[in-house]
Amino acid sequence: MAEVVEVASGFKALFQLTRFSPSVIVCNIRLPDMMGEELLQSIRLKQPDASQQIPVIAVAAGNREFSSAEASTAGFDGFLSHPIDPEQLVAEILSLVGR
């Protein structure tokens, strides 16, 4: 069974990461208080060992906002755009957690 923890901002996500270690993070590119790339950089700074990094999936409002290639260049492990197909989301998460 999966546990989902939802937060409303990048700063709240960083706080939750001090209390909870998720298997994967699904992150909007545009957050109320920072950009998704900034959140990713902050997360990566706290996990310098690449073998212990939490996979992060970028979610964009549309392909014009951010592309799969841009997500990869920024360091995201996966990319989805709205509208999100639930089966595609599950497949992406499973591919990143190795199941």
Side-chain angles (χ1 to χ4, degrees), residues 25-63:
I25 297 170
V26 180
C27 172
N28 279 325
I29 291 301
R30 292 186 187 266
L31 300 166
D33 53 357
M34 67 177 69
M35 296 299 290
E37 299 100 302
E38 294 173 274
L39 176 60
L40 176 66
Q41 290 172 357
S42 295
I43 292 168
R44 295 294 188 240
L45 285 173
K46 295 177 187 300
Q47 301 175 314
D49 183 354
S51 69
Q52 296 179 355
Q53 289 182 347
I54 300 167
V56 181
I57 300 170
V59 177
N63 288 332

Side-chain angles (χ1 to χ4, degrees), residues 32-99:
D33 53 357
M34 67 177 69
M35 296 299 290
E37 299 100 302
E38 294 173 274
L39 176 60
L40 176 66
Q41 290 172 357
S42 295
I43 292 168
R44 295 294 188 240
L45 285 173
K46 295 177 187 300
Q47 301 175 314
D49 183 354
S51 69
Q52 296 179 355
Q53 289 182 347
I54 300 167
V56 181
I57 300 170
V59 177
N63 288 332
R64 293 182 200 154
E65 179 184 45
F66 206 72
S67 70
S68 178
E70 289 172 306
S72 180
T73 299
F76 287 96
D77 302 289
F79 174 78
L80 298 169
S81 63
H82 287 284
I84 295 176
D85 173 18
E87 289 182 13
Q88 184 182 10
L89 174 61
V90 170
E92 185 74 21
I93 290 170
L94 292 177
S95 74
L96 291 173
V97 297
R99 292 186 182 168

